[in-house]
Amino acid sequence: MTISFDFTGRTVIVTGAAQGIGRGIATLFADAGARVAPFDLDFDALKAVWGERSDTIAPLAVDVADEDAVATAVEDVAAWAGGIDIAVNNAGITRDTVVWKLSSTQWRQVLDVHLGGTFHITRAVVGHMRAASFGRIVNVTSYTGLHGNIGQSNYAAAKAGIIGFTKTVAKEVARFGITVNAISPNSATAMVAGIPAGKLAELTAAIPLGRFADPAEIAPAVGFLASAQAGYITGTVLAVDGGMSM
Ligand SMILES: NC(=O)c1ccc[n+]([C@@H]2O[C@H](COP(=O)([O-])OP(=O)(O)OC[C@H]3O[C@@H](n4cnc5c(N)ncnc54)[C@H](O)[C@@H]3O)[C@@H](O)[C@H]2O)c1
């Protein structure tokens, strides 16, 4: 599948970029000429995929739940590249169980990574985007955030929170030439591989297109929202979910 994007001269942070959807998104930006800073908790996996730092790639071990680590890493990228134009808040985890069995730790872990991580990165990059009077932030939410899913009250709360966060920040930063949008994907990744077979069959049956996407099919939606041409789109949630949410 060939789609032409040109991100020459742009600097992009993608969180959770060692595998899955984040890797697919970071690959699109790298192929389109951007300087890319893939962030991930799993630095060995990150290095295996992205190699050492170069003029065009800066892989960084960052826990997005750690606000100090995020602030340091974002400043590192800004110094490396001379600015930050695009941030994709994709890093995520699941800690699934029904609410009466959900520990406070499982609740916090999921909220801290998805919602906390999205907040930490956004707060850290907005100053750089304001200075350039240009910015694109793309957050990753989920069908579960809008519709719920048994065993995922923590994840649903985080993903619903990301939608409210997206719309609010979109309003706050619009006047600086910064757009903030979200995608709601479905993709065959390690996260989905962890779903029990019966439940996975049920979910797949609920997707009109009948399958989970390859991560490479999710990335172009992010590329579009991050492009200069999408400058009049902000505060929206773009479903890239095979029709599941229609
Ligand atoms: N796969 C789907 O169908 C689907 C559906 C809806 C939403 N999503 C969302 O898409 C995003 C990517 O999911 P995926 O399916 O590619 O999952 P994945 O598990 O394959 O990849 C997630 C990546 O995030 C990294 N990560 C986890 N915690 C982190 C942290 N604290 N700091 C930095 N990196 C961290 C992991 O190491 C991993 O590389 C997530 O936000 C997920 O909730 C996925």
Side-chain angles (χ1 to χ4, degrees):
M1 196 189 305
T2 307
I3 296 185
S4 297
F5 287 104
D6 184 2
F7 287 105
T8 307
R10 298 289 189 207
T11 300
V12 189
I13 290 172
V14 181
T15 69
Q19 63 179 41
I21 293 171
R23 179 180 177 178
I25 293 167
T27 300
L28 179 143
F29 284 114
D31 289 350
R35 278 183 295 262
V36 182
F39 286 7
D40 207 286
L41 200 55
D42 185 344
F43 196 49
D44 290 340
L46 202 57
K47 276 180 82 174
V49 173
W50 296 103
E52 300 292 336
R53 185 183 288 218
S54 70
D55 288 345
T56 52
I57 296 287
L60 281 167
V62 186
D63 177 356
V64 296
D66 179 340
E67 62 179 315
D68 294 334
V70 167
T72 302
V74 167
E75 290 318 304
D76 183 357
V77 174
W80 167 72
I84 295 163
D85 304 293
I86 298 162
V88 183
N89 287 305
N90 165 81
I93 58 168
T94 50
R95 297 288 183 269
D96 295 355
T97 188
V98 285
V99 72
W100 58 90
K101 293 183 185 166
L102 191 66
S103 70
S104 298
T105 302
Q106 290 169 318
W107 170 263
R108 266 196 304 275
Q109 282 173 333
V110 169
L111 268 288
D112 287 352
V113 174
H114 289 273
L115 199 47
T118 299
F119 161 55
H120 298 148
I121 294 278
T122 301
R123 183 178 58 182
V125 299
V126 155
H128 295 284
M129 294 176 175
R130 283 183 62 176
S133 298
F134 176 89
R136 298 279 183 267
I137 297 171
V138 182
N139 300 324
V140 180
T141 184
S142 161
Y143 176 90
T144 298
L146 282 172
H147 300 275
N149 188 30
I150 291 173
Q152 292 199 305
S153 58
N154 50 357
Y155 184 80
K159 291 306 203 188
I162 284 174
I163 295 171
F165 181 81
T166 298
K167 291 175 185 290
T168 298
V169 179
K171 289 183 178 181
E172 291 177 351
V173 300
R175 71 195 123 132
F176 305 120
I178 304 169
T179 67
V180 189
N181 292 288
I183 63 156
S184 175
N186 271 330
S187 185
T189 63
M191 188 178 277
V192 169
I195 300 172
K199 177 76 181 172
L200 187 56
E202 207 179 285
L203 287 172
T204 307
I207 301 173
L209 286 176
R211 63 184 178 84
F212 281 79
D214 186 273
E217 296 176 273
I218 306 298
V222 177
F224 170 62
L225 291 171
S227 68
Q229 290 83 353
Y232 201 61
I233 303 173
T234 198
T236 198
V237 179
L238 178 57
V240 195
D241 64 358
M244 192 180 191
S245 57
M246 77 168 113

